[in-house]
C-alpha cells in the first residue's frame, strides 16, 4: 500500500493549475490515510503501514502548508484587490470560511500527526477513524469550494501580469528562483545604483536622487493590506535584500524609544506578526506601552512603508505552530537565551545552549516566554522616492468602523 509522491507538476506560469495539482496530491494522501485505517486492524504497524504513514507525514509536514500560504498571502489578497460587484460579494462570503478551514485543518492535523508518527516508527497501530474522517471531510469540502469558485474567478479576473506575480510568489515560497521573461521584470530591476563613496566625502554631501517610479492616489489599492502585499511581492521579484526585514520601534514607561530589526513572519487582515522573547527589551516595553511602529525600507525600489498601531500577543496555538516549524537548533536557541539580559561571555552562552539541548532532546518545548506579537495597524503610509526630494506619500488611516481613508501627504 505504498503511495508515490512523484508526479508531473504544471509549470508555475500556470499558478492556478499548480494549485489544482496540489489539491490532487492532497487527495492522494487523504486516500492513503483511509487505506491505512483499513490496513492497521489486519496487519498492524507493519512495513507497509510505516511507509504509508511516512508518506503522509512527509507531504503534510513539508508541502501542504505551502498551499495554504499561497492562498492566504497571495491568491486571496489579490482577488480581494481585483474583484468587484458580485465577485466581491461572493469573496466576502467565502473567505472567512476558507481561512477558518485552514485553522481547523491545522488543528486536526496536529492530532493526526502524533498518531501517524507512532505508526511510522512502528510503535503503535492506533489511528482514530473519527479524527481521520473529520480531517478528510474538511479538506475535501474545502477543495471543492476553491475549485468551484476561487480558481475560476482567478482565471477570469487576473491579468497575465497578475498570474506571473502569483506564480513567482509561489516559486519564492518553495525556494525556487523565479525565471521571469524580460517583459515581466519590474522596471526597478534596471542597472543598480552605485553607492560607492570615495574617501573624504563629507557626510552631508552623501545624496542620492530618487526617480525610478511614482505613486499616485490612483496607483494604490483601496485596502492598505492588499497594497502592502502588492509592494511586498514586487520587492521579492526585484530580489531586494531581506524584503521581510522591518524595524520595530517601541517606547518604555518613561517614553524613551528604541528600535531593532526583526523579520515579519505573517501579514493578513488582522495585522503584522513577528516572534520573539516576551522578556526581551521590546517585550518589556510593549508591556508598558502596547503601541509600536514598523518600518520596511526597500532601497532597491526606493520605497518605504510605515505602519503604526497597537500590539497584542498571538494566541498560544499560533506561537506553537510557528515555534515547531523552526529548525530544532533555533528552538533550542530560543530556550537557552535570556534575550537582552547581560552575560559574561560567549563561552557561557554556548554552555547554556548545550545544557538546553541536552534537556530538550529532539523535541524541545516552546517556553512560555517565547511567542508572537501582532500589530493591528491604525495608520499605514506608502512612500515612493522622487527626484529633488519631492517624494510621493500616500497614507491610510483606519476609521472607527474599521474602514480606511487615504490621502496624499506632502514630502
Amino acid at each position: 500500500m505504498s503511495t508515490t509522491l512523484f508526479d508531473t507538476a504544471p509549470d508555475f506560469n500556470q499558478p492556478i493549475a499548480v494549485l489544482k495539482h496540489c489539491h490532487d496530491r492532497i487527495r492522494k494522501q487523504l486516500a492513503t490515510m483511509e487505506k491505512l485505517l483499513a490496513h492497521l486492524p489486519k496487519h498492524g504497524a507493519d512495513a507497509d503501514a510505516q511507509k504509508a504513514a511516512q508518506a503522509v507525514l512527509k507531504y503534510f509536514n513539508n508541502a501542504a502548508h505551502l498551499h495554504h500560504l499561497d492562498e492566504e498571502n497571495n491568491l486571496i489578497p489579490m482577488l480581494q484587490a481585483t474583484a468587484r460587484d458580485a465577485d466581491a460579494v461572493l469573496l466576502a462570503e467565502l473567505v472567512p470560511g476558507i481561512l477558518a478551514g485552514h485553522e481547523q485543518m491545522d488543528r486536526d492535523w496536529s492530532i493526526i500527526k502524533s498518531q501517524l508518527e507512532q505508526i511510522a516508527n512502528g510503535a503503535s497501530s492506533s489511528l482514530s477513524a473519527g479524527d481521520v474522517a473529520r480531517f478528510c471531510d474538511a479538506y475535501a469540502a474545502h477543495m471543492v469550494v476553491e475549485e468551484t469558485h476561487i480558481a475560476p474567478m482567478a482565471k477570469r479576473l487576473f491579468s497575465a501580469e497578475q498570474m506571473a506575480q502569483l506564480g513567482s510568489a509561489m516559486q519564492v515560497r518553495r525556494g525556487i528562483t523565479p525565471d521571469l521573461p524580460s517583459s515581466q521584470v519590474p522596471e526597478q530591476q534596471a542597472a543598480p545604483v552605485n553607492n560607492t563613496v570615495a574617501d573624504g566625502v563629507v557626510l552631508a554631501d552623501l545624496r542620492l536622487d530618487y526617480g525610478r517610479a511614482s505613486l499616485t492616489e490612483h496607483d494604490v489599492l483601496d485596502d492598505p493590506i492588499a497594497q502592502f502585499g502588492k509592494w511586498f511581492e514586487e520587492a521579492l521579484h526585484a530580489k531586494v535584500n531581506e524584503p521581510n526585514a522591518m524595524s520595530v520601534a517601541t517606547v518604555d514607561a518613561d517614553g524613551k524609544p528604541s528600535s531593532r530589526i526583526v523579520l515579519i513572519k505573517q501579514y493578513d487582515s488582522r495585522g503584522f506578526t513577528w516572534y520573539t522573547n516576551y522578556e526581551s527589551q521590546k517585550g518589556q516595553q510593549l508591556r508598558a506601552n502596547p503601541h509600536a511602529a514598523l518600518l520596511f525600507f526597500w532601497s532597491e525600489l526606493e520605497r518605504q512603508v510605515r505602519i503604526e498601531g497597537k500590539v497584542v500577543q498571538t494566541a498560544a496555538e499560533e506561537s506553537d505552530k510557528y515555534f515547531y516549524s523552526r529548525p530544532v537548533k533555533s528552538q533550542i536557541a530560543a530556550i537557552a537565551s535570556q534575550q537582552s539580559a547581560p552575560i559574561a561571555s560567549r563561552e557561557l552562552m554556548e554552555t547554556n545552549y548545550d545544557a538546553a539541548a541536552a534537556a530538550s532532546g529532539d523535541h524541545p518545548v516552546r517556553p512560555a516566554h517565547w511567542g508572537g506579537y501582532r500589530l493591528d495597524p491604525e495608520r499605514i503610509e506608502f512612500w515612493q522616492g522622487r527626484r529633488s526630494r519631492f517624494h510621493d506619500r500616500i497614507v491610510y488611516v483606519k476609521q472607527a468602523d474599521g474602514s480606511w481613508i487615504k490621502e496624499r501627504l506632502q514630502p
Side-chain angles (χ1 to χ4, degrees), residues 108-162:
D108 291 342
W109 170 244
S110 66
I111 296 171
I112 296 174
K113 175 184 175 182
S114 61
Q115 299 174 37
L116 290 172
E117 288 173 339
Q118 294 294 311
I119 297 168
N121 295 329
S124 171
S125 60
S126 176
L127 183 61
S128 168
D131 292 338
V132 170
R134 183 172 62 252
F135 184 67
C136 292
D137 290 348
Y139 243 119
H142 182 79
M143 291 186 290
V144 167
V145 169
E146 292 179 344
E147 292 171 7
T148 303
H149 300 290
I150 300 299
M153 187 185 298
K155 288 181 179 180
R156 179 165 45 83
L157 297 182
F158 284 176
S159 65
E161 290 77 12
Q162 287 173 304

Side-chain angles (χ1 to χ4, degrees), residues 3 27 83-84 129 131 171 180 209 235 287 311 352 367 386:
T3 301
R27 288 187 172 98
R84 296 292 183 270
D131 292 338
Q171 286 178 282
L180 294 178
D209 205 16
R287 276 199 297 274
V311 179
N352 291 346
R386 296 295 301 275

